Amino acid sequence: MSISLLRKVPLVKLSSRRFPIYKQKLFCTMSEEINSQEVVNSTKRILTTQTAESTTPRVKKIKLKKYKSKKVDPTAPLGVLQLEIDELLKAHNLTRENVTNDLKSILNDKTFEIKDKYHREVSNVKILKLTSNGDGLAVIDNPVETEKKQVVIVPFGLPDDIVNIKVFKTHPHYVESDLLDVLKKSPMRRDDLIKDKYFGKSSGDQFEFLTYADQLEIKRNTVANAYKFFAPRLVANKVIPEVGTTIPSPLEYNYRTKITPHFDMPKRLKQLEIKPPLGFGQKGRPKWRKETLEVGGAGPILDIDECKLATDILNIGLTNERKRFDQEFKKYKKGATILLRENTIILDENKPVEEQLGEGSTDSDGKVSYITIDDKEHGVKLAKTCVTNTRQIVTEYVDGYTFEFSAGEFFQNNNSILPIITKYVRENLQIPNSKIDEPNYLVDAYCGSGLFSLCSSKGVSKVTGVEISADSVSFAERNSKNNGVENCKFIVGKAEKLFECIDTPNDRTSVILDPPRKGCDEVFMKQLAEYYPARIVYISCNVHSQARDLEYFLNDTEKGKDYKIESLRGFDFFPQTHHVESVAVLSRV
């Protein structure tokens, strides 16, 4: 049977879920004929196809894991490492391609077969050089792509050591390892010098097995290498002076005036029942010091009851706070850091010492712990206490000056070397060939609580200090008043806008730069060049950013070309570690 259609009959598709053409309509005109059975059969086919497709399971597309590289500041340790790797590769006729690791295979290895090949023990590895971070660098065979090599970081390895290692982490162009055994010692290695039972495990120090003379020379090389990496044009033009010998710290141990032991709360744990380790981080899982394998435990945080780098009063405070932690650890709901900061009191000999101590770490009897010291040079007696309250105001005593600041805020951590560096800065700020009656001015950018401003104030007519932190400026003004210094003015503001408020003549003004680790930005360096001071002393806790900044200042600012670097050298604020402070002195030609 057929049906003559007298009008357009829309046949609309029955489902919109599986068919993309569901909005289209099928039309028959008056002149067309369509068999009704065919319509029924066609509808059945559509329904059957749809049902079959809807019951077919979807095949999930497997998403492969990809390595996500993080943006790194070139002057930060990981950024510097890349340059050190390039230098190592060049010395051994290798390229980046020769040492590229197959991260994609490792990340997507479900069976651990590939990971186990990469993360393995390797014997008889020769350490080739030291990084600026104090770790050894070596080259080993790639275990999977046998035509390739791998660059490996070996903490506590020294150049010419022959060692056994365990590779445990892979990066695109290097791997990390633990030191297992020292088979043949480097001529530099002096394990008999080690005093700290945690050395070789703790991440806090790297150089205890070196003579102090070797430590100072390594740090001199760190300064020189920083300029080679980040000031290549200055090096090529031979305008970098020979790096001076590193100025040693009067104290090689027991110098740190601040430490921060901490502990972690295990995940998904709401209540601590077992006391966790309280101390500092462990550097991997090294096993080379067989006699101390059990010391401090095997977790990521070592349980530390003594810090050889900290001052005596901080170790007394550490003992006090560990005893307190033994009793109170169950009260904590999450991990925490305990501040231990040295505080100095100039004693009035007419009053009992205990009445002058103030708040501090207490012993088991509830009494504030302290030690006393005689400063014969300035004829005063000092008391040292340990402060744990981050908001408490503490005092540091430097070369006869007192500096107050909040315990949790930044202040240099080695007070034994501060009189040496402040004197060095003060002497190098003086403008040569000055007449007796000519005024000298000082601008202290990043002045903090006034350390360099106050210690340099005697040799100048006026000091202007600038600091972004209003609290720091408040303390700088307070310290100026407490020390009877009347020629210092402090301003709250960004260093980048510093020279908008400076009214001293540039020909008679010296500038101190003491920025944070990231260094100065280009805007500031341009303004510094435009101000055109007579002398510049740049103090840096990151010599790599210092080198970058001076490369830009001397080469890429219009008036920067009129300056020369008179001297460049390191100061050892942190013996037994890789850290070095760098001081560069610039003058107009």
Side-chain angles (χ1 to χ4, degrees), residues 481-510:
K481 182 178 179 180
N482 291 345
N483 287 283
V485 177
E486 299 179 351
N487 63 338
C488 289
K489 179 179 74 171
F490 297 97
I491 301 169
V492 179
K494 292 183 178 181
E496 292 77 9
K497 297 183 178 180
L498 165 66
F499 299 102
E500 294 177 1
C501 53
I502 300 301
D503 56 3
T504 57
N506 60 346
D507 287 345
R508 304 303 308 163
T509 302
S510 299

Side-chain angles (χ1 to χ4, degrees), residues 58 445 453 526:
R58 288 187 181 185
S453 294
K526 284 179 180 177

Side-chain angles (χ1 to χ4, degrees), residues 1 32 38 59 73 98 169 373 584:
M1 181 182 71
E32 293 173 318
E38 288 180 359
V59 178
D73 180 348
N98 297 144
K169 192 171 185 179
I373 297 173

Side-chain angles (χ1 to χ4, degrees), residues 384-399:
K384 302 279 189 178
T385 62
C386 176
V387 167
T388 60
N389 181 354
T390 59
R391 296 182 180 275
Q392 184 177 338
I393 295 174
V394 296
T395 302
E396 187 60 272
Y397 182 75
V398 182
D399 201 20

